[in-house]
Amino acid sequence: MEELVAATASRQVGREKLEGIHYTPADLAKYVAQKLLLHASLPDGGTVKVLDPACGDGELLLAIAQELAERNVAAELVGTDTDEHAIKAATDRLANAASNVSFRGYVSDFLLGLAEVNSVAPSTLFDAEGEGGREKFDLVIANPPYVRTQHLGSARAQELGRQFGLSGRVDLYQAFIAGFRSVLEDHGSFGIIVPNRFLVTKGGESTRRLLASRYRVNEIIDLGDTKQFAAAVLPALIFASNTQLDSQKIPVTSIYAAAKEEQSSTNAESIYGALDGNTNGAVKVGTDTWSIERGEIAVRSDSGFDKPWVSRSSDLEFLAAVDEASLFRFSDLGKIRVGVKSTADKVFIRRSWDDLEASVRPESELLHPLVSSDTAQRWNCRHSTLSILYPYDMTNRKRVPLDIDRFPRAAAYLKLHREQLEGRKYVIDAGRKWWEIWVPQKPAEWAAPKIVFPDISTNGKFAIDRTGALVNGNCYWISLSPEQEELGYLAVAVANSSLAMRYYDARFGNKLYAGRRRFISQYVEHFPLPDPENPAAKRAVKLARELEGATDLATPSLERDVDAAVWSAFGLEQP
């Protein structure tokens, strides 16, 4: 044990990227190991075999070895990784971990090995004893790389989908989860660290299907914004066993930074101590206060994967009540579009064009106000301070670039940045002019009234724009026809309300650091709208119109009134 503790202590504190991978912090590794063993059914006597298929420098294996050693259980550890330096580091750290612990490390691609089990070279993980030539393990513990579909490449993603029976968007960690069945004993269990978005996003549907149809899920822990990694990834822990069930109830616990008004009389020594307690609510850890929620998700093996996994019964009741009172969804207003993407913002977007020399100051008819996430406001778009050089025919719904030679100052300005703009090879390869914006959207629709909102904000920041402003790529917009005006104001009233924020948290739950929310189209399209003929809904519309032109002094009072009206429009009592 002393050797094992010394090996743990010898690891450097700094966590650096290795080929895009963030290694597991020691405290988190210990917690994952403890939880995995809590849920696992270990064989009686003998040696427990443990695999980490993306072991890095061996932190998770070191943690599980320590926990098994404390239980006087012998362990045979196996690690694979595609990086030979990582395997060497893991070998050095685990070589003398404890007298009853052994380690074998392979420079190997776990997923590729599963695909090519009959053709891999000798002395790899997959030429050992076991069904189909695969070595079997009692436990798998893993923190696979966080590689999303767009970074995998479509060919690799499709290949993994075919290999492991995955559909839709395929992230690398999903293939690892699918592959665990091939290397786990019948009684075996796994614990894995993954991005938490699988719980609620449309792209997470395949992961939810995979877990519900192929495993018994013992517990899910959403670590929220506890900042376990330097990367901007919010992790979750999944603990499951190699057993298939027709239906199951999965315990789910989440922890996020508490709202400022939340008070706690419960204290814990660490985040992990707070998670292991029984508190359902606020818990104080040092100077920080965290909000812990516990619940269950009832799932079947053959259906329900298209819906987010929501655990609290109070949330389910609230969602049912809102859905019952909803007559429309935001998707009924029209397509939710992302804003323009120039892929060269420093060229096309400025706060002021007046500081340029007159000879290269673009003509005013090509400069348009721009709503961006850093200038977006609730209720109206009057305060935009940005403008964009937009060289397109504003009367045409299709993307029709202007004859830039008719605008000599704009042409001169763009030529100053020609090298940078021509560096966007994808623009030229698409048959476009080198000075074009990559995603200009539909030029003629900018003039119409539209709902605008930023991609990321703590609370709803939805507004009606009547200025004809363009919308930046960090925001979304919904174009409104004249007959949709009343419904548009109702939508803004709902989206800026506390009811919508509770609806978001209950149905989607995708919070980032510091309580910020992602208002992406796949969430917002499901936002509810009550009957617009409801008297409370009409009052909400009237108040939203007033807020569009309200002074800063009048806004707080009006916002309280519109919030109450929204709750009433859904037939619910405002908290």
Side-chain angles (χ1 to χ4, degrees):
M1 277 302 297
E2 291 181 0
E3 298 158 318
L4 188 61
V5 172
T8 304
S10 70
R11 190 179 192 213
Q12 292 185 359
V13 175
R15 300 286 192 261
E16 298 181 347
K17 285 185 178 180
L18 181 64
E19 295 185 353
I21 299 169
H22 282 267
Y23 287 155
T24 311
D27 288 348
L28 176 57
K30 180 178 181 179
Y31 185 71
V32 174
Q34 290 173 337
K35 278 287 186 179
L36 176 56
L37 290 176
L38 178 67
H39 292 298
S41 176
L42 299 180
D44 294 331
T47 299
V48 173
K49 297 183 66 175
V50 186
L51 169 68
D52 184 341
C55 68
D57 63 358
E59 189 66 45
L60 284 167
L61 288 173
L62 198 57
I64 196 79
Q66 181 172 357
E67 295 301 320
L68 289 169
E70 289 179 354
R71 295 163 172 78
N72 293 318
V73 175
E76 182 180 344
L77 311 178
V78 176
T80 69
D81 201 286
T82 57
D83 186 273
E84 61 179 328
H85 300 293
I87 288 294
K88 183 180 186 306
T91 302
D92 291 344
R93 299 178 71 206
L94 293 162
N96 300 302
S99 58
N100 61 350
V101 172
S102 65
F103 173 70
R104 288 182 282 126
Y106 301 107
V107 179
S108 174
D109 185 322
F110 172 72
L111 299 178
L112 186 62
L114 289 178
E116 301 178 355
V117 63
N118 295 320
S119 61
V120 293
S123 300
T124 71
L125 171 65
F126 302 103
D127 67 340
E129 74 280 359
E131 181 183 348
R134 297 188 180 105
E135 187 171 0
K136 296 286 186 173
F137 296 87
D138 303 301
L139 302 174
V140 174
I141 189 167
N143 176 20
Y146 296 167
V147 183
R148 304 186 68 176
T149 304
Q150 58 266 41
H151 300 300
L152 278 175
S154 60
R156 176 63 168 152
Q158 291 171 10
E159 177 189 344
L160 289 173
R162 288 191 299 270
Q163 179 184 341
F164 294 104
L166 303 171
S167 59
R169 294 170 60 91
V170 177
D171 288 358
L172 195 61
Y173 74 86
Q174 296 170 338
F176 275 82
I177 294 174
F180 290 166
R181 287 202 71 196
S182 299
V183 296
L184 276 172
E185 297 281 7
D186 291 340
H187 61 265
S189 298
F190 72 81
I192 187 172
I193 305 170
V194 300
N196 70 353
R197 59 180 177 268
F198 84 89
L199 287 165
V200 293
T201 64
K202 186 176 181 180
E205 179 180 341
S206 58
T207 305
R208 298 192 290 272
R209 177 186 293 108
L210 174 63
L211 290 170
S213 63
R214 302 190 193 181
Y215 296 104
R216 182 183 73 222
V217 183
N218 300 309
E219 186 176 10
I220 295 173
I221 300 174
D222 179 0
L223 292 173
D225 55 356
T226 54
K227 298 184 179 180
Q228 299 298 306
F229 296 95
V233 174
L234 277 65
L237 312 179
I238 302 171
F239 301 96
S241 299
N242 194 16
T243 302
Q244 291 179 279
L245 301 172
D246 292 334
S247 63
Q248 55 184 307
K249 290 184 177 181
I250 304 171
V252 178
T253 303
S254 66
I255 181 168
Y256 282 83
K260 291 181 180 179
E261 61 271 16
E262 284 193 75
Q263 301 294 321
S264 173
S265 58
T266 303
N267 294 282
E269 292 185 359
S270 68
I271 288 171
Y272 307 114
L275 287 167
D276 282 342
N278 298 316
T279 301
N280 200 0
V283 178
K284 198 170 185 62
V285 179
T287 59
D288 298 320
T289 302
W290 300 93
S291 180
I292 295 179
E293 297 178 359
R294 306 178 193 275
E296 284 186 334
I297 301 169
V299 302
R300 294 188 54 80
S301 63
D302 57 358
S303 62
F305 318 118
D306 57 326
K307 297 180 180 178
W309 279 2
V310 178
S311 60
R312 293 192 305 175
S313 59
S314 59
D315 284 343
L316 294 173
E317 294 168 2
F318 168 76
L319 291 171
V322 172
D323 290 343
E324 178 69 23
S326 299
L327 189 61
F328 300 107
R329 299 284 169 178
F330 273 47
S331 57
D332 294 315
L333 289 167
K335 183 176 178 60
I336 301 175
R337 295 188 175 94
V338 71
V340 299
K341 293 182 180 291
S342 75
T343 62
D345 284 358
K346 290 184 178 180
V347 175
F348 290 99
I349 299 171
R350 295 175 66 95
R351 292 195 179 276
S352 174
W353 297 85
D354 293 336
D355 55 353
L356 295 175
E357 292 183 10
S359 61
V360 293
R361 186 183 306 143
E363 287 77 2
S364 60
E365 55 263 51
L366 300 188
L367 302 178
H368 303 273
L370 181 73
V371 178
S372 190
S373 62
D374 56 341
T375 62
Q377 303 289 326
R378 289 157 69 94
W379 312 112
N380 66 70
C381 295
R382 295 193 309 253
H383 306 296
S384 178
T385 58
L386 296 173
S387 56
I388 184 170
L389 171 57
Y390 190 74
Y392 293 91
D393 180 0
M394 295 289 283
T395 66
N396 202 313
R397 289 189 77 253
K398 295 183 178 180
R399 173 189 56 81
V400 178
L402 295 168
D403 179 359
I404 201 66
D405 291 334
R406 290 176 45 225
F407 304 91
R409 297 201 307 273
Y413 172 78
L414 291 168
K415 286 177 182 176
L416 290 176
H417 303 281
R418 182 163 187 157
E419 183 178 355
Q420 176 185 347
L421 298 179
E422 285 187 333
R424 303 174 303 157
K425 297 298 186 184
Y426 48 88
V427 175
I428 297 170
D429 291 345
R432 313 269 285 278
K433 294 179 173 63
W434 61 265
W435 45 262
E436 285 197 60
I437 286 172
W438 176 234
V439 181
Q441 289 295 355
K442 300 180 180 297
E445 293 192 13
W446 295 122
K450 52 187 172 290
I451 297 173
V452 180
F453 55 95
D455 170 15
I456 299 173
S457 61
T458 304
N459 292 304
K461 293 177 73 174
F462 287 67
I464 297 282
D465 173 62
R466 294 179 174 278
T467 69
L470 277 64
V471 179
N472 203 358
N474 52 26
C475 295
Y476 292 88
W477 59 293
I478 309 171
S479 184
L480 299 173
S481 63
E483 59 269 21
Q484 290 178 314
E485 184 172 300
E486 291 291 301
L487 198 58
Y489 277 101
L490 179 58
V492 168
V494 169
N496 286 336
S497 71
S498 60
L499 180 142
M501 295 307 97
R502 183 175 176 190
Y503 188 89
Y504 177 102
D505 292 344
R507 174 136 288 171
F508 312 116
N510 189 9
K511 284 188 177 179
L512 306 176
Y513 292 135
R516 295 179 300 160
R517 298 174 172 91
R518 292 290 309 276
F519 291 94
I520 53 181
S521 58
Q522 64 179 262
Y523 298 159
V524 175
E525 67 184 8
H526 294 293
F527 274 22
L529 287 170
D531 183 351
E533 297 303 317
N534 181 303
K538 287 182 175 292
R539 175 165 169 73
V541 169
K542 176 178 179 295
L543 291 165
R545 286 184 178 276
E546 291 182 32
L547 278 160
E548 186 180 17
T551 64
D552 292 343
L553 188 62
T555 295
S557 176
L558 288 171
E559 285 189 328
R560 287 192 293 271
D561 291 344
V562 74
D563 199 65
V566 167
W567 282 87
S568 181
F570 283 96
L572 297 172
E573 184 177 346
Q574 185 183 26

